[in-house]
C-alpha cells in the first residue's frame, strides 16, 4: 500500500455551545491548527503517483482558506454567531450541525478531503485514509476510515 501526506495550517477560533462543555471551551478561543491528510492506494498511476500533489493541494488549501481560515466556527444556531452578525453581518463565521470540537472537526475535514479527492484524477483505489488535526502543540485528534 502506498501513502502520501499533505499538510496545511489555518487560524481559526471556535467555541463549544453545549452546556455540558467545560466553561473554557464555551468561551471563544482560537488555535493555530495544522491538518495532515493521509492518502493511500494499492497502486500508482502511469506517472508513478497516487494523486498529483499540486492538484490536491490547490483544492484542499482553497477549501481550508475559504471555509476555515480566520473564521469563527460554531454550532448552527449559536447565539454568539447571531450576536456577532448583528453588528458585523460580513463576519467570517462557519456554522456546523455539531459542536466544533477537535474530534468533530477531524471528521468534517475528512469528509471534505474525500470529496475533493473524488473530483481529481488519481490511481485506482486511492482514498483518504485519515485526517490528523493538531489543535495545539499537545492536543490533536484523528479521524480514520474504516
Amino acid at each position: 500500500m502506498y501513502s502520501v501526506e499533505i499538510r496545511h495550517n489555518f487560524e481559526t477560533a471556535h467555541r463549544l455551545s453545549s452546556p455540558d462543555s467545560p466553561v473554557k471551551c464555551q468561551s471563544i478561543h482560537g488555535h493555530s491548527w495544522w491538518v495532515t491528510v493521509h492518502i493511500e492506494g494499492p497502486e500508482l498511476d502511469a506517472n508513478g503517483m497516487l494523486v498529483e500533489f499540486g492538484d490536491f493541494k490547490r483544492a484542499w488549501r482553497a477549501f481550508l482558506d475559504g471555509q476555515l481560515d480566520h473564521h469563527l466556527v460554531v454550532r448552527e444556531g449559536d447565539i454568539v454567531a447571531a450576536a456577532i452578525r448583528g453588528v458585523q453581518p460580513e463576519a467570517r463565521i462557519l456554522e456546523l450541525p455539531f459542536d466544533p470540537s477537535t474530534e468533530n472537526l477531524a471528521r468534517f475535514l475528512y469528509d471534505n478531503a474525500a470529496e475533493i479527492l473524488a473530483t481529481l484524477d488519481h490511481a485506482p483505489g486511492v482514498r483518504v485514509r485519515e485526517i490528523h488535526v493538531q489543535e495545539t502543540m499537545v492536543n490533536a485528534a484523528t479521524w480514520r476510515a474504516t
Side-chain angles (χ1 to χ4, degrees):
M1 189 69 68
Y2 296 95
S3 67
V4 296
E5 294 180 9
I6 293 122
R7 295 186 73 211
H8 193 53
N9 67 308
F10 55 93
E11 307 296 324
T12 296
H14 69 151
R15 88 175 205 101
L16 306 184
S17 58
S18 169
D20 296 330
S21 297
V23 172
K24 68 181 183 176
C25 297
Q26 292 180 41
S27 299
I28 296 172
H29 61 285
H31 301 288
S32 294
W33 305 79
W34 279 94
V35 60
T36 305
V37 181
H38 299 263
I39 297 172
E40 70 177 9
E43 58 187 89
L44 303 178
D45 67 13
N47 297 315
M49 300 179 202
L50 288 174
V51 63
E52 203 284 313
F53 278 120
D55 293 343
F56 185 85
K57 287 191 302 188
R58 270 187 294 284
W60 180 237
R61 290 175 177 171
F63 166 75
L64 294 174
D65 292 347
Q67 297 297 312
L68 289 157
D69 192 48
H70 287 83
H71 280 67
L72 170 61
V73 183
V74 296
R75 183 184 201 120
E76 288 173 349
D78 189 317
I79 60 171
V80 170
I84 292 171
R85 284 194 175 114
V87 295
Q88 186 186 12
E90 71 283 3
R92 292 172 61 126
I93 300 172
L94 174 62
E95 293 187 67
L96 299 172
F98 45 78
D99 258 342
S101 65
T102 307
E103 296 88 343
N104 280 335
L105 286 175
R107 174 65 187 266
F108 170 75
L109 291 167
Y110 174 92
D111 291 343
N112 281 278
E115 286 179 23
I116 289 168
L117 182 62
T119 68
L120 303 174
D121 290 333
H122 54 72
V126 170
R127 69 179 187 146
V128 175
R129 182 184 75 227
E130 70 180 37
I131 293 278
H132 181 77
V133 181
Q134 191 81 33
E135 175 189 77
T136 68
M137 291 299 290
V138 296
N139 298 331
T142 300
W143 173 261
R144 189 173 295 114
T146 55

